[in-house]
Amino acid sequence: MQLEVKDLNTFYGPVHVLQGISLSVEKGEIVALLGRNGMGKSTTLKSIMGLVKPKSGHVIFEGKDLVGFPPYRVARAGIGYVPEERRIFPTLTVVENLKMGMKGGKEGDPNDPYTWTIERVFAHFPKLKERCNSQGRFLSGGEQQMLTIARSLMGNPRLLLVDEPTEGLAPLMVQEVRDMLAEINKAGVSILLVEHNLKVALSLAHRVYLMDKAHIGYTGTIEEFKNAPEIRAKYLEV
Ligand SMILES: Nc1ncnc2c1ncn2[C@@H]1O[C@H](COP(=O)(O)OP(=O)(O)OP(=O)(O)O)[C@@H](O)[C@H]1O
Ligand SMILES: [Mg+2]
């Protein structure tokens, strides 16, 4: 396993928001973490990333326990994070925004063909290249989301944590962002994806975890989940 989260417990003050979360991601996989509002999906990603500090448990990434590490060290270990709220720099251009992404994470080896450079990002995502000299604030919501995701690649993560990438986007942009994640995965990056759009999640993920309040209630392959409408009703429908 590339990532093994074991028995994670996280509190906000007195509130026990993650009660023994365990999950795993294999190298090359896209794993979806789904559930209704407020179940703890974002907190799970933040706990892995070190943005909130779990009280107990393990975050084992490529054999090393990162639990309790600050976010910059988790990033350097090879985990990228795309938060729910898009944090692009509005007065910087697309290229400048991408350059900011090099600061976190691990600097790429220019001799390695798999290192993410601005050229490689543009080769994979020509839509961003078209806007390369536009300031962030002039991009559409979808373009801003693509830029946020692309920027996270500049730290050369081997695993990307992505929180609700298609939220609030027009249908065409939902498709663009979906395709972008598929492309990133094809390029060798594993993804742990929180996503409310079930169609997007089902079309991308290999396996799924469903969260109940503060717990994982179900896990299975995408095929198993597709054939279990009662599970979908129990964990996702309102
Ligand atoms: N900074 C915080 N301080 C206190 N409580 C918080 C904080 N962030 C989240 N919570 C609470 O912790 C619980 C889990 O929140 P979290 O954001 O992880 O849920 P989520 O599954 O991502 O929900 P959504 O689908 O709405 O994004 C919720 O009850 C939420 O209200
Ligand atoms: Mg959330």
Side-chain angles (χ1 to χ4, degrees), residues 12 17 36-43 84 164 196 213:
Y12 288 125
V17 286
R36 296 190 182 93
N37 290 121
M39 296 291 126
K41 304 179 299 295
S42 297
T43 304
E84 222 171 336
E164 308 226 15
H196 269 292
K213 190 113 200 110

Side-chain angles (χ1 to χ4, degrees), residues 155-194:
N156 290 297
R158 294 183 296 285
L159 168 70
L160 207 51
L161 314 177
V162 189
D163 201 348
E164 308 226 15
T166 69
E167 196 189 9
L169 300 184
L172 218 63
M173 286 316 298
V174 168
Q175 194 58 35
E176 292 273 357
V177 167
R178 192 220 83 93
D179 293 349
M180 183 177 190
L181 293 173
E183 175 96 3
I184 289 168
N185 181 244
K186 248 184 23 206
V189 181
S190 320
I191 298 176
L192 179 57
L193 173 70
V194 171

Side-chain angles (χ1 to χ4, degrees), residues 3 6 12 17 47 60-61 70 74 99 129-131 139-140 170 177 189 203 222 226 238:
L3 174 74
K6 285 189 193 163
Y12 288 125
V17 286
S47 296
I60 299 163
F61 180 66
V74 177
K99 283 185 180 155
K129 187 176 185 182
E130 284 167 26
R131 306 302 312 266
L139 303 182
S140 73
V177 167
V189 181
S203 77
I222 278 299
K226 277 181 179 162
V238 277

Side-chain angles (χ1 to χ4, degrees), residues 10 13 32 34 41 45 58 63 70 77 89 106 131 149-150 163 172 179 192 213 217 227 237:
T10 298
L34 311 176
K41 304 179 299 295
L45 299 191
H58 303 280
F89 298 95
K106 199 168 142 274
R131 306 302 312 266
I149 296 170
D163 201 348
L172 218 63
D179 293 349
L192 179 57
K213 190 113 200 110
N227 293 319
E237 283 156 22

